[in-house]
Every structure is written in structure tokens, then in C-alpha cells.
Amino acid sequence: MFLFSSFDKAKTKSQLKLAMQRIGLLRNKKMQKVEAEKKSIALLLKNQKDEPARIKAEHLIKDVSTMEGLEMLQQLCDLLLARFALVETEKVCDPDIKEIVCTIIWAAPRCEVQELLEVKKQLIARYGKKLGEEATEDVKDNEWLNPRVVFKLMYRRPTDQEISQTLSSVAKEHGVEWTDEVAGQMDGYSAIPTVPDMPPLQPEAGAPAPAPAPTPGPGPAQAAGGNFPRGGE
């Protein structure tokens, strides 16, 4: 008969540390895959096989986004370890770690990191099923999820413009002479391997309007305490 597991603080800490190591290994594998994909795309462009190159560019954009999301997730795990005293002493999730906890719970099944699934299980055992449901529902408007991690790890189809810019960047990086019919429409776009950032979030009630920028504002957890570095800062 299945019984709900109780929270094990020692196991949670050890699994967080192992998850960080596993994420680091996974990021390195993704990085090697990205470089191989870029070389493959460059060869296709050199041979004027644009359509297969566009398909591979979609995979490249997805892998780059996942790689960046994993880096952010690794930082969140490290930050939760730094604030683990709040997990040990408070049965109700403290606002200083709630965004971290909810984001880890949401991201765990979207990564190839078994240890993170165990961390998710332990966090739900600590704070209850209600928090687990809160972390996974209404993702688009969920104030307790780190928006950059969600944006990087959630699947989205790249736009034709992003694909064309990716191909242009790869061609330039590998010294391939290549032009695209819509290339003239994409001046000012950034080059691979950085995928476009998510749109700015709406400011919180009563807060001053942020200056136009692609970087989303801090979530409630960061507003209450120290900021988790976003986007590899």
C-alpha cells in the first residue's frame, strides 16, 4: 500500500547537490550537441540545402534555450541550498524561497535530471500537495514561477525570423557565403547562441513602470530577499 513520504531534510540537501552536478553534466552535453548542430547546419548551407538547414535550426534554437534554462535552474538549486535553513525551520513556504521552490517543482519533470524529481517529491512532502498544484497551474500568469526559467524550458515553435537569423549567424561563424530572402527584414537581431528573451512582465500594482527592456522584473521571492542572478549574470 502506498504511503505519503515524510520530508527528509538530509536527503533533500544531498539530492539538491547531486542535481546541480547532474545539470552541469547535462549542460556540457547540450553544449557539445549545439556545436555539432551548428557545423551540420553550416555544411547544409554551403551545399545550398536551405530547407533541411531550417529544420535543424529549430532543433538548435530549442537546445540553446534548454541549455540556458538549465544554467538558471542550477543557480536556483544553489540558492535554495544557501537558504535551506528556511526549509528546515518553516513548515509554510517562506516568501524568500517560494519562487525558487515553485520553479523547481515545475521544472523537475521537464529536465533529464532524476535527482530533481526527488527534490520535487521532498518539497511537496514538506509544504503539501496544494503548493505542488500551485506551482504547476496557470503557468502563463503564475507569479511564483521564475519567468525566465519557464520561457527557456517550455517548448515554443521558433518564428521564421528567428530561424533565418540563426542560419545567418551560423553561416557567418563558419565562413559560409549565404543569403536569405528575408534577411533584410531582420536588422538589429542578436546572433546565436542566445535565443530571444521573453517579453517584459507587467509591473506589480503600485510599482513604477520599468524602462523598456527585454529583461523581466523580479518575482515576489526576489523582491522579498536577495536576487537570483538571471540570464547568467
Side-chain angles (χ1 to χ4, degrees):
M1 180 178 178
F2 175 78
L3 297 175
F4 289 106
S5 60
S6 59
F7 173 66
D8 185 330
K9 63 181 181 181
K11 185 174 185 178
T12 306
K13 289 182 74 172
S14 66
Q15 290 297 303
L16 271 171
K17 293 175 182 177
L18 289 172
M20 289 176 61
Q21 295 175 12
R22 185 81 66 184
I23 290 172
L25 293 173
L26 187 56
R27 283 183 60 235
N28 288 337
K29 287 179 63 177
K30 288 286 184 185
M31 194 177 301
Q32 293 173 5
K33 185 180 178 185
V34 162
E35 291 304 315
E37 286 172 335
K38 289 162 74 173
K39 290 179 181 178
S40 178
I41 289 171
L43 183 60
L44 288 170
L45 294 178
K46 183 178 180 180
N47 294 326
Q48 299 181 343
K49 297 181 178 180
D50 287 12
E51 288 308 310
R54 287 184 178 277
I55 294 173
K56 285 187 174 293
E58 287 201 36
H59 292 289
L60 174 60
I61 291 170
K62 179 180 181 296
D63 286 336
V64 170
S65 184
T66 299
M67 188 170 64
E68 293 176 347
L70 286 171
E71 180 181 8
M72 298 175 194
L73 192 57
Q74 188 178 39
Q75 292 173 337
L76 282 179
C77 291
D78 195 20
L79 189 54
L80 186 58
L81 278 171
R83 300 180 183 179
F84 201 76
L86 295 174
V87 180
E88 293 178 307
T89 58
E90 302 291 338
K91 291 186 178 180
V92 176
C93 193
D94 190 284
D96 279 351
I97 59 172
K98 188 170 181 179
E99 182 181 282
I100 303 171
V101 168
C102 287
T103 303
I104 289 175
I105 289 174
W106 176 87
R110 291 167 173 82
C111 304
E112 304 168 38
V113 182
Q114 186 64 34
E115 293 84 356
L116 213 55
L117 290 172
E118 182 59 37
V119 172
K120 172 187 175 181
K121 178 181 175 182
Q122 289 295 324
L123 291 174
I124 291 176
R126 180 57 167 168
Y127 297 120
K129 291 178 64 177
K130 184 177 180 181
L131 183 68
E133 293 169 356
E134 186 177 349
T136 54
E137 64 185 12
D138 195 19
V139 174
K140 183 178 179 181
D141 299 315
N142 194 322
E143 64 177 345
W144 293 113
L145 292 180
N146 183 290
R148 289 178 64 86
V149 174
V150 171
F151 181 70
K152 297 296 185 182
L153 295 183
M154 179 177 285
Y155 172 77
R156 65 181 183 89
R157 182 191 177 279
T159 65
D160 292 338
Q161 202 170 36
E162 291 168 349
I163 292 171
S164 292
Q165 179 59 20
T166 297
L167 295 176
S168 296
S169 299
V170 170
K172 182 178 180 180
E173 180 180 339
H174 289 81
V176 176
E177 292 291 335
W178 180 81
T179 55
D180 187 78
E181 293 181 358
V182 296
Q185 304 174 15
M186 293 177 293
D187 294 338
Y189 263 68
S190 60
I192 281 293
T194 302
V195 297
D197 284 320
M198 65 173 290
L201 298 180
Q202 295 296 321
E204 297 180 1
T215 305
Q222 280 81 7
N227 285 333
F228 142 65
R230 297 173 182 262
E233 292 179 3

